[in-house]
C-alpha cells in the first residue's frame, strides 16, 4: 500500500524502544508509567491474554460480558473474510462507473472509518451523518444525476439513515427518474436480516451484507468500511493486506503493538491519566482521531468509569498535553527528525489497515484492564427514546434565561445572564476531575467555524474540553457522556432553521428531527444530573461569531 511521505509533527520517540510488527510501531508505551505498565503487562501475560484475545476468548471481560463477546469478536479476523467482497466490489465499481459522486449516509461506526480511509488516501467521499436540513439540502443539490448513495446501518433501523434514504429517493424521482433508475443510485450495507435489508429488497437496491459478528465501532475492515471506500476509488485490498500482516503478532507477548498500546491506556487510567489526547502527527493519516474517539469512548465509558478521548487540532493545541492527559500521536510512515521532542507520550505509526486493527485490539485490552465490557453500549438508547417521544408528542415550551444578540441562552439555575460570564461560570463549575463537552447540532459544513469553541474554551481551563457534532456524537461519544464518570458538564449549541426540509413519508421535518434529537440528548444528560447550558442561535452566522467572541473573552 502506498503511504504519503512523512512531513509534519509527531513525537521524537524514534530513539526509544518500540513494539513493532508488520510495519506498525508503538513507541513510548512502556514509559507511560513504568511500574504500573510493567505490572499490567505482566498480569496480562501471566493470564495469556494476548493469545486468548487473538483466539477470540469471550471470557476475558468477565461473565457479564461473555454472552455478547461470543458474537462480537469477529473483528479479529474479519479482514480475511472481507476478501470475499473484493470480486463483488469490482463488479459494482464497473457497473456504477458513471456515478462518480459517492455519498455515504450512515452514523457512528458506519461512517467514521470510511471517512478516515477516504481522507487519508485522498479520495472524494461525501459523508452525511447529520439531520441538519441545510446540510442535507446542499447534498441533495450536488450532482444528483451522478450520485450513488451508500445507505449504511448495522441495525437497519437508524433514523438518520432511513430519513436520508427517503430524501434521496424522493429527490431522484422528482428529477424524473423511474423507480428502477432511482434504485440504481443506491447501495445498501447492513447486517443480514435487518429491516433495511428488507426495505432494500422492496426498492430493488443492491445489498451487501456485513459481517454480523462485528460491532459497529469495530467494523472498519468489514463491508461498512470497504464498500463506500471502494466506490470512492480506494484500493481496499491494501487495507486488508495491512491488517493481515499484523494479525499473527497480536497473539504474541513481545513485539505486539496492540498489547503495548492497550497497556499504555490501562496504565494511564490506573495512575490518574484517564484522558487521552488524540493528535495527528502530520505523516499522512487523516481523520483517525474521530474514529478512535468513538472506539475508546463507547467501548470503555460505562459503569461510571472509562477513558475520555479528546481529538485535538495540533500537538501545540490547548488540551493536547498536561496533567492527567496521555497524549497519543498517530500517523503513517515515520522518519527520523519528523517529530519535535515531548510532543506525545505515545506514538503509533504505520499503515492504515494495521492502525485499525491495532487500535481495536488495544481498546479491547484496555477494557479488560478496566473491567468493562468493550462491546455493549447500555446508555445509548435513552437519548433515542426521548427523541421518539418528543417527535410523537411535540417539544416542550422553553423560555430563554436571557438573550444576547443572536444567541438565546437556556441556562441552569445560578448561571449569570451574560454570554461570556455564563461560559466562564460553566468552566468554573468543573471539578478537579471534570471535563466540558461541547456539542453542536448545526451544519458541519456551513457552520464549521463553531468547532473553534473547543480551543478557545480549552485555553480558559485546565480541564479537558471535547467537541462533537450532533447527532453524530450520539453514536460516538454519547455512551461515555451518559455512562462514564459522572463528572462532565455540557455546552449544547443549536440553531434556527430558516429553510426546513420534509422527511418524506414521516410526520416531521429534518429540522424537527434535529431539534428532537438535541432535546432528547439534553434530557438524558439532565436525568443523570449533568449540567447543560444550551445556546440557541437565532441567526447562525452572527450567533457563531458571537459565541467565538464570548469564548475568547472567558480567559480574562
Amino acid at each position: 500500500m502506498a503511504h504519503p511521505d512523512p512531513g509534519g509533527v509527531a513525537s521524537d520517540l524514534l530513539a526509544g524502544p518500540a513494539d513493532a510488527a508488520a510495519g506498525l510501531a508503538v513507541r513510548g508505551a512502556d514509559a507511560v508509567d513504568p511500574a504500573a505498565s510493567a505490572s499490567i503487562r505482566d498480569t496480562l501475560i501471566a493470564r495469556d491474554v494476548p493469545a486468548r484475545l487473538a483466539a477470540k476468548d469471550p471470557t476475558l471481560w468477565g461473565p457479564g460480558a461473555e454472552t455478547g463477546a461470543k458474537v462480537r469478536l469477529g473483528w479479529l479476523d474479519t479482514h480475511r473474510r472481507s476478501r470475499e467482497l473484493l470480486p463483488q466490489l469490482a463488479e459494482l465499481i464497473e457497473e456504477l462507473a458513471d456515478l462518480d459522486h459517492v455519498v455515504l449516509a450512515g452514523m457512528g461506526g458506519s461512517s467514521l472509518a470510511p471517512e478516515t480511509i477516504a481522507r487519508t488516501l485522498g479520495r472524494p467521499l461525501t459523508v452525511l451523518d447529520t439531520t441538519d436540513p441545510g446540510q442535507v439540502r446542499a447534498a441533495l443539490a450536488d450532482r444528483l444525476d451522478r450520485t450513488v448513495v451508500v445507505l449504511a446501518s448495522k441495525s437497519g433501523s437508524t433514523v438518520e439513515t432511513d430519513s436520508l434514504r427517503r430524501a434521496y429517493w424522493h429527490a431522484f424521482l422528482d428529477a424524473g427518474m423511474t423507480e428502477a433508475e432511482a434504485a440504481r443510485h443506491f447501495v445498501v450495507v447492513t447486517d443480514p436480516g435487518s429491516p433495511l435489508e428488507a426495505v432494500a429488497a422492496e426498492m430493488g437496491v443492491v445489498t451487501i451484507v456485513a459481517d454480523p459478528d462485528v460491532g459497529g465501532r469495530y467494523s472498519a475492515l468489514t463491508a461498512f468500511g470497504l464498500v463506500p471506500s471502494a466506490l470512492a476509488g480506494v484500493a481496499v485490498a491494501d487495507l486488508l493486506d495491512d491488517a493481515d500482516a499484523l494479525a499473527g503478532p497480536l497473539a504474541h507477548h513481545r513485539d505486539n503493538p496492540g498489547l503495548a498500546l492497550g497497556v499504555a491506556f490501562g496504565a494511564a487510567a490506573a495512575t490518574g491519566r484517564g484522558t487521552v489526547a488524540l493528535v495527528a502527527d502530520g505523516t499522512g493519516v487523516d481523520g483517525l482521531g474521530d474514529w478512535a474517539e468513538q472506539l475508546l469512548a463507547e467501548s470503555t465509558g460505562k459503569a461510571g468509569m472509562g477513558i475520555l478521548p479528546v481529538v485535538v487540532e495540533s500537538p501545540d493545541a490547548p488540551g493536547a498535553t498536561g496533567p492527567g492527559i496521555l497524549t497519543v500521536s498517530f500517523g503513517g510512515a515515520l522518519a527520523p527528525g519528523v517529530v519535535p521532542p515531548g510532543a506525545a507520550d505515545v506514538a503509533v505509526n504505520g499503515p492504515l489497515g494495521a492502525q485499525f486493527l491495532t487500535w481495536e485490539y488495544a481498546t479491547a485490552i484496555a477494557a479488560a484492564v478496566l473491567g468493562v465490557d468493550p462491546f455493549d453500549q447500555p446508555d445509548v438508547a435513552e437519548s433515542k427514546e426521548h427523541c421518539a417521544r418528543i417527535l410523537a408528542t411535540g417539544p416542550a415550551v422553553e423560555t430563554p434565561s436571557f438573550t444576547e444578540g443572536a444567541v438565546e441562552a437556556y441556562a441552569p439555575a445560578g448561571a449569570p445572564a451574560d454570554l461570556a460570564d455564563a461560559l466562564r461560570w460553566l468552566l468554573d463549575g468543573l471539578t478537579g476531575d471534570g471535563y466540558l463537552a461541547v456539542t453542536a447540532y448545526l451544519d458541519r459544513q456551513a457552520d464549521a467555524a463553531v468547532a473553534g469553541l473547543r480551543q478557545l474554551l480549552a485555553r480558559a481551563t485546565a480541564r479537558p474540553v471535547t467537541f462533537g457534532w450532533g447527532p453524530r456524537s450520539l453514536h460516538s461519544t454519547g455512551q461515555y457522556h451518559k455512562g462514564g464518570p459522572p463528572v462532565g458538564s455540557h455546552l449544547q449549541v443549536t440553531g434556527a432553521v430558516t429553510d426546513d426540509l420534509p422527511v418524506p413519508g414521516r410526520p416531521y421535518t429534518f429540522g424537527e428531527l434535529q431539534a428532537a434529537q438535541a432535546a432528547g440528548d439534553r434530557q438524558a444528560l439532565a436525568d443523570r444530573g449533568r449540567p447543560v447550558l444550551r445556546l440557541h442561535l437565532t441567526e447562525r452566522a452572527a450567533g457563531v461569531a458571537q459565541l467565538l467572541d464570548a469564548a475568547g473573552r472567558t480567559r480574562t
Side-chain angles (χ1 to χ4, degrees):
M1 180 174 181
H3 301 291
D5 291 334
V9 212
S11 153
D12 76 333
L13 302 166
L14 292 166
D19 284 83
L24 187 138
V26 173
R27 292 175 171 84
D30 288 344
V32 171
D33 184 290
S37 186
S39 173
I40 289 170
R41 180 188 284 265
D42 291 348
T43 299
L44 293 172
I45 289 174
R47 294 172 54 206
D48 201 26
V49 168
R52 289 168 61 196
L53 177 54
K56 303 182 183 178
D57 184 344
T59 67
L60 291 174
W61 303 275
E66 183 174 350
T67 299
K70 286 179 180 178
V71 293
R72 284 292 177 265
L73 285 165
W75 53 271
L76 284 155
D77 57 4
T78 196
H79 55 274
R80 293 171 186 154
R81 291 187 298 282
S82 289
R83 290 190 184 280
E84 300 171 7
L85 296 174
L86 297 181
Q88 185 179 5
L89 289 176
E91 292 178 9
L92 193 61
I93 291 167
E94 184 175 354
E95 291 171 6
L96 302 178
D98 58 315
L99 304 181
D100 58 357
H101 179 221
V102 184
V103 174
L104 172 58
M107 303 301 294
S110 298
S111 64
L112 292 168
E115 185 172 38
T116 298
I117 294 167
R119 287 173 60 183
T120 294
L121 299 177
R123 302 305 305 167
L125 177 67
T126 297
V127 176
L128 271 185
D129 52 1
T130 183
T131 51
D132 184 86
Q135 191 173 341
V136 175
R137 188 183 294 278
L140 291 170
D142 186 13
R143 296 166 285 171
L144 190 66
D145 61 325
R146 292 162 44 196
T147 294
V148 57
V149 182
V150 181
L151 300 169
S153 170
K154 182 173 179 63
S155 69
S157 59
T158 309
V159 66
E160 298 92 341
T161 305
D162 180 68
S163 299
L164 292 166
R165 174 188 68 82
R166 293 168 179 273
Y168 266 100
W169 181 257
H170 193 267
F172 288 134
L173 296 183
D174 279 355
M177 296 184 193
T178 66
E179 290 191 353
E181 290 169 338
R184 181 176 176 268
H185 287 254
F186 289 96
V187 175
V188 163
V189 182
T190 190
D191 272 8
S194 80
L196 183 55
E197 185 182 28
V199 169
E202 293 175 7
M203 295 170 62
V205 169
V206 170
T207 298
I208 299 178
V209 294
D211 190 335
D213 292 335
V214 180
R217 57 188 174 271
Y218 292 82
S219 65
L221 298 175
T222 72
F224 287 109
L226 302 182
V227 172
S229 301
L231 289 173
V234 173
V236 294
D238 292 345
L239 298 169
L240 304 180
D241 291 342
D242 293 340
D244 195 45
L246 180 70
L250 293 181
H252 301 161
H253 295 170
R254 296 188 178 188
D255 293 324
N256 180 338
L259 176 64
L261 184 59
V263 167
F265 289 149
T271 55
R273 300 168 80 183
T275 298
V276 172
L278 302 168
V279 56
D281 69 10
T283 60
V285 174
D286 193 6
L288 187 74
D290 291 334
W291 173 81
E293 178 187 43
Q294 182 202 12
L295 183 69
L296 284 167
E298 204 165 54
S299 297
T300 69
K302 56 201 68 172
M305 62 183 76
I307 294 168
L308 175 66
V310 182
V311 181
V312 297
E313 299 77 9
S314 65
D316 58 355
T321 60
I325 297 173
L326 176 71
T327 307
V328 181
S329 69
F330 55 85
L334 192 60
V338 169
V339 183
D345 300 302
V346 178
V348 186
N349 287 86
L352 186 56
Q355 288 269 6
F356 286 136
L357 189 54
T358 296
W359 286 81
E360 289 165 354
Y361 185 101
T363 300
I365 289 289
V369 173
L370 293 174
V372 297
D373 180 350
F375 307 119
D376 71 347
Q377 45 280 333
D379 302 292
V380 164
E382 188 175 348
S383 292
K384 299 177 185 178
E385 292 165 358
H386 285 310
C387 173
R389 176 183 51 77
I390 293 166
L391 286 173
T393 63
V397 177
E398 298 179 87
T399 302
S401 306
F402 65 89
T403 300
E404 187 173 311
V407 180
E408 293 177 347
Y410 298 82
D418 173 87
L419 191 53
D421 289 346
L423 292 173
R424 181 72 261 170
W425 174 85
L426 193 64
L427 293 172
D428 289 344
L430 297 176
T431 61
D433 55 356
Y435 68 93
L436 176 65
V438 182
T439 306
Y441 283 81
L442 298 171
D443 183 329
R444 192 151 68 104
Q445 305 302 322
D447 304 319
V450 77
L453 282 173
R454 196 212 70 80
Q455 291 198 64
L456 291 171
L457 294 173
R459 287 193 182 103
T461 179
R463 301 307 308 151
V465 179
T466 72
F467 179 86
W469 294 98
R472 159 181 169 145
S473 59
L474 298 177
H475 302 261
S476 176
T477 54
Q479 169 59 45
Y480 183 96
H481 295 323
K482 279 87 172 181
V487 294
S489 295
H490 297 264
L491 173 62
Q492 187 186 89
V493 185
T494 58
V497 173
T498 57
D499 190 11
D500 210 344
L501 186 67
V503 177
R506 291 295 190 224
Y508 48 78
T509 65
F510 276 96
E512 289 166 345
L513 174 57
Q514 182 186 43
Q517 290 177 308
D521 193 17
R522 292 196 302 274
Q523 185 62 56
L525 292 167
D527 289 346
R528 288 166 169 75
R530 311 288 203 265
V532 181
L533 169 63
R534 175 194 172 204
L535 300 177
H536 181 71
L537 314 182
T538 56
E539 199 286 310
R540 292 197 183 192
V544 169
Q546 269 188 258
L547 288 186
L548 295 175
D549 175 70
R553 288 187 282 116
T554 59
R555 300 179 66 185
T556 59

